[in-house]
């Protein structure tokens, strides 16, 4: 088996500075490291148990196959905080039939981002008998 030491999701935004403003200031992610110089420098953000790297530039639209799933403690509070920071809520927080609280936003290139609250009694947190 491959011994993975670290991982990250790589995004190539169409406007790197606009995306850095979104992920760093509006979404409030903390910077892990930066590299390079100029407007297309790379920025790596902490993303819970992983990292999100913005580097380079894309001339095409984002792939609809890639989405970000971010677990938060309170999806309603996260929505209020993001709205106050000017983030458009694509779909307000709702409790899904499968028991998770989900709210959808999008990054400046339209990349879908779901913020998820997992209730303390949900099977993703606890499996009885295991």
């Amino acid at each position: 088996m491959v011994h993975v030491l670290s991982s990250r999701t790589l995004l190539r935004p169409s406007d790197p500075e606009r995306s850095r403003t979104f992920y760093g200031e509006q979404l409030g992610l903390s910077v892990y490291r930066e590299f390079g110089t100029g407007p297309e420098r790379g920025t790596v953000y902490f993303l819970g148990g992983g990292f999100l790297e913005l580097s380079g530039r894309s001339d095409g639209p984002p792939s609809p196959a890639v989405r970000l799933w971010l677990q938060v403690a309170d999806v309603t509070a996260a929505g209020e905080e993001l709205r106050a920071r000017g983030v458009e809520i694509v779909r307000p927080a709702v409790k899904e039939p499968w028991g998770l609280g989900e709210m959808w936003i999008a990054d400046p290139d339209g990349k879908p981002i779901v913020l998820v609250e997992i209730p303390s009694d949900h099977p993703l947190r606890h499996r009885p008998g295991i």
Side-chain angles (χ1 to χ4, degrees):
M1 180 173 156
V2 175
H3 184 78
V4 177
L5 299 176
S6 182
S7 66
R8 63 182 67 171
T9 300
L10 302 172
L11 296 182
R12 304 277 188 251
S14 62
D15 182 336
E17 195 57 44
R18 180 180 69 174
S19 290
R20 271 192 290 280
T21 298
F22 174 79
Y23 285 102
E25 295 175 23
Q26 291 182 290
L27 204 52
L29 299 181
S30 296
V31 173
Y32 169 67
R33 68 180 292 256
E34 292 186 292
F35 55 91
T37 58
E40 295 181 32
R41 71 188 179 280
T43 305
V44 181
Y45 296 95
F46 285 104
L47 198 60
F51 299 98
L52 174 69
E53 178 179 322
L54 302 179
S55 60
R57 179 184 297 267
S58 174
D59 295 326
S63 168
V66 177
R67 296 164 185 226
L68 296 177
W69 190 94
L70 307 176
Q71 182 181 347
V72 297
D74 183 331
V75 73
T76 301
E80 292 169 5
E81 185 177 336
L82 292 172
R83 202 174 283 110
R85 293 181 183 176
V87 175
E88 179 186 352
I89 307 301
V90 174
R91 195 190 83 180
V94 297
K95 184 170 183 178
E96 298 290 358
W98 46 89
L100 301 178
E102 294 187 6
M103 176 183 66
W104 288 82
I105 62 175
D107 82 356
D109 286 323
K111 174 85 46 222
I113 301 171
V114 60
L115 281 83
V116 178
E117 177 182 340
I118 303 173
S120 61
D121 61 346
H122 193 277
L124 285 175
R125 287 191 186 252
H126 173 72
R127 294 186 185 219
I130 294 179

